Amino acid sequence: MKRLLLLLPLVLVGCAGLARTDRPLLPPAEIHRDTVWRGRVLIDGTVKVFKGATLTILPGTEVAFVRRDLDRDGLGDGTLVVEGSLKALGSRLQPILFRSASADPRPGDWLELRVDFSRDVHLRYCQIRDSAYTLHAHFTRGLVEDCTIRNNIDGCRLGQATFVIRNSLIENNQGKGINFRNSEVELTGNIIRNNGSGIFLFETDRAPTIHGNNIYGNRENFRLGDFFTGDVRLSGNWWGTADPEGAAATIYDRRRDPSIGEVFLEPASAWLPQSGPREALEISEAWRFATGGYVDASPAVSGDLLYLASWDGRIVALDAQGAQRWSKDLGEVVDAAPAVAGDTLYCQSWERQVYALNRHDGALLWRFGYAPSPADDHRQGAPLPVADLLLLPAWNGTLFALEAASGEVRWQYRGTSSLRAVPVFDGDRLYLSGGDGTFSALALDGTLLWSVLLDAPLLAPAALTPAGPVVTTRSGTLVAFDRSGKERWRNELQEPCYYGAPLYSGGDLFLGTAGGTLWKFDAASGAPIWSLAAGGSIYATPLLIDGRVFIGDNSGSLLVVGADSGDLLTTFRAEGEIQGTPALFGKRIVVGSRDHNLYALDLVEMPLESLP
């Protein structure tokens, strides 16, 4: 047992009470009777739960391990050893967190959660990160469900154990996601991605049960150990592709090393629903605000106010209860999202006028107009504040760079066709979508750096990824470029795409199409991961919050979809089309509709028992 450097004279109470953890707790090195942890528990060294004792960890508890390497093996010493029983049952809203106590955590900061000779281990809604071996179990029976295991060296090590691992997310572990030998293992409903080896079967004398999982993006999705000579048959898992040969290519077996066994696959042809940590959700209306026209423009939020534009020509400021603070009549339709920078609100109207308003009271600061053109109809692109500039995409094909403080033109770039999408800025250059299919990169002084002509108009802005921009054409071609304008990949969706842009997050792209499909793609390759059919055409860019995708469609439905699972979690129905992107206002989702209303919506977490 590794020595605790600091040991407080604190006895944890038995099963009748709770350990007080109003401040960080360093527990005794030995736990001999039933004990409950809550709050924040700090471990420096090794804590051991002896046989006959049950350690219960309550929802919302953080178990933090001090990064210390006294034996100089390159791995942290922090360990929780369980020979009794362990019950760590969190919830989605209050997960239990096992992590490094360091301000700059890294894999291997602490050693492991080691369980030996236990008959009762149950982890639910636990998040385990920064360890060397995570769950390391021998001669143990356990259940792991709805957990997230990420950013460790290995996601688990199981030997001579019996475990069910279900509905968990196992990702970004440097070595193996799941590693077992001579164990009775059932893996169902998991998402296993972006690990070194997704599943590593060292050796076994029992056939594992592995089905209903989505296993993709790992260096090897499934790997046999160096001395494993038997064959393994796996069915009913998705391996990142609909192509059986492509799925087989993700397996490390006899085809790569003739001295080991062979894995025979019967793969699923598409993403399997109801995978990853489960959630049950309902959505309810908190309030609504009525306007005199369509609400196509996405609302803007700044501080304690929301700014709403509509086809009735008004800009309205609302507070968190939906009460109007001020209103400004611009005299013409507004269907482009307003933008806020500092104390100024910017918006563009169909009269080809741009307004700068004091965001606190709506007072006019300045206005700017530009000449008409044959392309003067909806939609317009939103203005974009960058540094001391306001970038304005105009119907007549000109990108105006205005002084944000005065509205004076600093420079202008004349494109080849109408501009209907907000430009995007990556901190160095602007990317501009043109109505004739021209996609351009500009320096912030308006100098053209490069441009390419695609096969159809570009009506939506690009998404910015670390490798470069990704844009979609009206005909449904999704194209990725590097920053020099070289094409990296393209995907022909066979579905039209109008005003909804792709959304990038954490290596993934989300895109809604006018064909009525919400897609998730791998941003590095463009390969589809999952898709979901909506009830109508999608014209909006998705919103991603807390692992959930929010997007409206032309049936009037706001869909709430699990970003990992691809499952439809809940919906809200308006009486008109939802064509703007929702926004987060406080803790509420706000979204406009063509029924002339803005809706503020509450999300309500439900118990898992409410799931069908």
Side-chain angles (χ1 to χ4, degrees):
M1 180 183 299
K2 297 183 179 179
R3 182 173 59 91
L4 276 176
L5 294 185
L6 178 60
L7 187 60
L8 298 183
L10 174 66
V11 177
L12 300 185
V13 300
C15 58
L18 295 174
R20 295 294 301 179
T21 56
D22 297 326
R23 54 183 180 173
L25 164 73
L26 287 95
E30 297 184 354
I31 296 176
H32 291 275
R33 59 176 178 166
D34 291 354
T35 297
V36 178
W37 284 355
R38 68 175 181 183
R40 188 170 192 262
V41 178
L42 189 66
I43 295 178
D44 188 352
T46 297
V47 173
K48 183 174 180 179
V49 181
F50 281 79
K51 190 171 292 292
T54 296
L55 173 60
T56 300
I57 305 177
L58 295 186
T61 300
E62 176 186 327
V63 183
F65 295 81
V66 173
R67 183 167 71 195
R68 198 180 305 280
D69 182 16
L70 296 181
D71 58 9
R72 299 184 179 180
D73 63 354
L75 302 175
D77 300 336
T79 307
L80 175 60
V81 178
V82 178
E83 293 182 355
S85 297
L86 174 63
K87 296 185 181 298
L89 306 181
S91 67
R92 189 184 188 282
L93 284 181
Q94 292 186 293
I96 295 169
L97 181 59
F98 295 88
R99 57 156 294 169
S100 167
S102 175
D104 59 336
R106 62 194 182 207
D109 273 1
W110 58 283
L111 193 63
E112 61 192 4
L113 170 57
R114 193 170 80 240
V115 187
D116 295 325
F117 301 99
S118 174
R119 310 305 294 172
D120 188 11
V121 173
H122 191 180
L123 306 181
R124 180 195 294 161
Y125 286 108
C126 294
Q127 298 179 9
I128 311 177
R129 54 170 298 163
D130 313 321
S131 78
Y133 309 132
T134 312
L135 176 63
H136 193 177
H138 300 91
F139 304 101
T140 289
R141 182 181 298 275
L143 170 62
V144 177
E145 56 182 345
D146 304 297
C147 291
T148 299
I149 299 173
R150 63 160 62 103
N151 298 334
N152 305 282
I153 294 178
D154 282 348
C156 73
R157 292 186 172 189
L158 307 177
Q160 300 286 353
T162 300
F163 263 84
V164 174
I165 302 176
R166 66 189 182 203
N167 289 103
S168 292
L169 173 61
I170 301 167
E171 65 174 358
N172 300 326
N173 299 289
Q174 294 177 351
K176 294 94 172 176
I178 297 177
N179 177 13
F180 63 95
R181 63 178 180 84
N182 292 339
S183 295
E184 185 176 335
V185 174
E186 178 181 330
L187 307 177
T188 58
N190 300 290
I191 300 173
I192 304 170
R193 66 188 182 199
N194 303 330
N195 304 283
S197 297
I199 300 174
F200 185 89
L201 177 53
F202 185 79
E203 60 183 3
T204 188
D205 53 10
R206 286 159 279 188
T209 301
I210 302 173
H211 63 85
N213 303 284
N214 292 300
I215 309 167
Y216 70 100
N218 305 282
R219 186 176 60 242
E220 306 101 12
N221 284 336
F222 190 94
R223 178 167 184 154
L224 296 179
D226 293 345
F227 305 104
F228 190 103
T229 58
D231 293 335
V232 177
R233 297 184 181 276
L234 301 175
S235 64
N237 301 284
W238 186 70
W239 301 93
T241 176
D243 175 22
E245 292 186 4
T250 70
I251 307 301
Y252 190 100
D253 63 357
R254 183 173 297 149
R255 285 160 289 192
R256 299 199 200 181
D257 181 349
S259 67
I260 61 177
E262 187 169 353
V263 179
F264 296 91
L265 298 181
E266 295 178 12
S269 60
W271 179 269
L272 298 167
Q274 299 180 352
S275 62
R278 295 166 292 175
E279 50 185 323
L281 194 66
E282 288 188 350
I283 195 165
S284 63
E285 181 181 328
W287 52 260
R288 70 175 70 180
F289 182 84
T291 74
Y294 294 158
V295 183
D296 287 344
S298 303
V301 174
S302 182
D304 60 350
L305 292 180
L306 175 144
Y307 303 95
L308 176 66
S310 72
W311 280 47
D312 64 6
R314 289 194 304 151
I315 299 289
V316 179
L318 304 176
D319 66 17
Q321 288 72 46
Q324 179 177 304
R325 291 281 188 90
W326 57 259
S327 175
K328 183 77 171 180
D329 188 357
L330 304 184
E332 185 55 276
V333 168
V334 181
D335 69 354
V340 179
D343 291 327
T344 306
L345 175 74
Y346 304 96
C347 55
Q348 177 174 199
S349 79
W350 276 20
E351 199 179 12
R352 301 171 306 282
Q353 299 291 309
V354 179
Y355 297 84
L357 308 177
N358 183 304
R359 79 171 186 89
H360 301 289
D361 59 13
L364 178 65
L365 302 177
W366 55 258
R367 63 188 290 180
F368 170 82
Y370 57 89
S373 76
D376 291 0
D377 61 7
H378 80 297
R379 293 205 175 171
Q380 289 183 316
L384 174 69
V386 175
D388 61 346
L389 296 178
L390 182 72
L391 284 306
L392 174 68
W395 272 334
N396 66 15
T398 302
L399 178 66
F400 293 98
L402 307 178
E403 296 277 0
S406 66
E408 296 295 322
V409 176
R410 182 179 295 182
W411 56 259
Q412 53 187 289
Y413 172 79
R414 179 65 182 176
T416 55
S417 185
S418 59
L419 302 178
R420 301 189 184 278
V422 61
V424 294
F425 182 60
D426 68 0
D428 175 60
R429 59 189 61 190
L430 295 161
Y431 297 99
L432 193 61
S433 299
D436 63 349
T438 299
F439 186 58
S440 306
L442 307 177
L444 198 53
D445 64 1
T447 302
L448 177 65
L449 301 175
W450 53 262
S451 67
V452 295
L453 181 62
L454 298 174
D455 62 356
L458 303 176
L459 304 179
L464 296 177
T465 79
V470 181
V471 70
T472 183
T473 71
R474 189 176 65 182
S475 63
T477 302
L478 189 64
V479 189
F481 297 93
D482 67 16
R483 296 183 73 251
S484 70
K486 181 180 178 181
E487 184 176 316
R488 297 189 293 117
W489 54 258
R490 68 171 52 203
N491 191 325
E492 305 285 351
L493 302 181
Q494 308 300 318
E495 297 183 54
C497 298
Y498 294 161
Y499 306 109
L503 172 70
Y504 173 79
S505 177
D508 299 316
L509 287 167
F510 299 89
L511 174 68
T513 72
T517 305
L518 175 63
W519 291 89
K520 179 179 180 178
F521 302 96
D522 176 75
S525 66
I529 297 174
W530 53 251
S531 63
L532 177 73
S537 297
I538 298 174
Y539 285 9
T541 302
L543 171 70
L544 180 63
I545 298 175
D546 192 24
R548 294 161 177 161
V549 180
F550 298 81
I551 197 163
D553 66 24
N554 279 355
S555 76
S557 294
L558 178 69
L559 313 179
V560 186
V561 180
D564 290 320
S565 68
D567 294 336
L568 180 62
L569 304 177
T570 189
T571 60
F572 172 80
R573 188 65 179 267
E575 296 301 318
E577 299 94 327
I578 296 176
Q579 296 192 354
T581 300
L584 181 66
F585 189 26
K587 294 183 178 180
R588 288 183 168 135
I589 301 297
V590 288
V591 66
S593 168
R594 287 198 158 192
D595 66 8
H596 299 192
N597 288 299
L598 176 81
Y599 295 92
L601 307 173
D602 286 324
L603 299 176
V604 182
E605 302 277 351
M606 305 297 291
L608 287 181
E609 291 74 15
S610 65
L611 290 172

